[in-house]
Amino acid sequence: MVWITGASSGIGAALVRRLAADGHFVIISGRNRDALLKIQQPSPKLVKVLTCDVGDDISMAQAGRELAEITDQLDLVIACAGICEYEDNLELDVHMYRRVFDVNFFGVVNTLHQSLPLLANSRVPVFAAVGSLSSVVGFPRAEAYGASKAALSYFMESVRADTCRVRLRTVLVRPGFIDTPLTKSNDFAMPLLMSPEQAADRILRGLSGSGSTIDFPRRLSWPLRILGVLKPVWHRLCAPRITRIRKLRSA
């Protein structure tokens, strides 16, 4: 039994199609019920719709109750829900930061909170969360988005440490640029752009192994990892080429 949040589009939808095609029973969640129903149509006997908002505590508490009515066991949970908003001229809009964190970070916490009792009933439970390679180094304009994904990365590392003596396997997925509705509005070059189907294939291949991190594509992840270690190189040579800020806002 699999539960996928953020399943109405992008990577989540691609994962649902792959898993259902392989005969898995999948519970799919998101805020847009109509979009979820379209995803369900090709495999109505294998796909169950559970509408919820991962960033809303009340909605997720209700989702937890509905999950328990659907099944008493989850073997795999993939937290795919996410949003992205960029900084412009360091406006530092706290409300925007909270919106991003509510979905990208607290949404994952909510998802694990509601699924953990059902994962505990599985013989080989797996909890995976989709982060981003943007958390490896500090990208211009990505203060809110990148920080939420960096917080998620630390959270998953801590959960992994806390569950090292029990059966739960935690997996952090860090993709590069994926051609989804989330990236359609990006007004900058996206190197090594991948399709949701390619991303789903990489994720499922990674989940079939035993690792705790799935980074892709390698041609992007490895240079970023190196720059993450050599941060002075990133800030002196790379960041000045891509930042859009030339002077600070004045009062």
Side-chain angles (χ1 to χ4, degrees), residues 131-145:
S132 170
L133 286 175
S134 68
S135 65
V136 178
V137 296
F139 281 90
R141 300 181 70 213
E143 286 85 350
Y145 178 76

Side-chain angles (χ1 to χ4, degrees), residues 67-83:
L67 273 173
E69 293 175 359
I70 296 170
T71 181
D72 61 357
Q73 174 181 313
L74 286 170
D75 302 300
L76 170 63
V77 176
I78 307 178
C80 282
I83 62 171

Side-chain angles (χ1 to χ4, degrees), residues 133 215 217-228:
L133 286 175
D215 287 353
R218 288 184 180 179
R219 285 184 293 166
L220 181 61
S221 67
W222 278 107
L224 286 177
R225 283 182 176 185
I226 293 170
L227 288 169

Side-chain angles (χ1 to χ4, degrees), residues 62-184:
Q62 177 60 32
R65 290 189 287 269
E66 294 182 29
L67 273 173
E69 293 175 359
I70 296 170
T71 181
D72 61 357
Q73 174 181 313
L74 286 170
D75 302 300
L76 170 63
V77 176
I78 307 178
C80 282
I83 62 171
C84 180
E85 295 188 51
Y86 291 116
E87 269 284 11
D88 289 309
N89 199 30
L90 280 182
E91 296 292 339
L92 299 173
D93 179 353
V94 173
H95 297 293
M96 182 269 279
Y97 279 74
R98 286 182 177 142
R99 283 195 303 271
V100 174
F101 266 78
D102 277 346
V103 177
N104 293 356
F105 178 71
F106 291 109
V108 175
V109 177
N110 270 334
T111 301
L112 180 57
H113 177 60
Q114 299 303 331
S115 62
L116 196 56
L118 301 177
L119 285 165
N121 293 332
S122 173
R123 189 172 58 86
V124 283
V126 179
F127 181 84
V130 177
S132 170
L133 286 175
S134 68
S135 65
V136 178
V137 296
F139 281 90
R141 300 181 70 213
E143 286 85 350
Y145 178 76
S148 70
K149 296 299 188 179
L152 170 59
S153 178
Y154 189 93
F155 172 74
M156 292 295 287
E157 282 293 317
S158 289
V159 172
R160 181 187 176 200
D162 250 338
T163 57
C164 63
R165 298 182 66 178
V166 298
R167 290 175 300 181
L168 180 66
R169 175 189 171 200
T170 60
V171 181
L172 176 64
V173 179
R174 297 192 301 186
F177 294 108
I178 310 299
D179 187 11
T180 69
L182 200 65
T183 60
K184 291 293 186 185

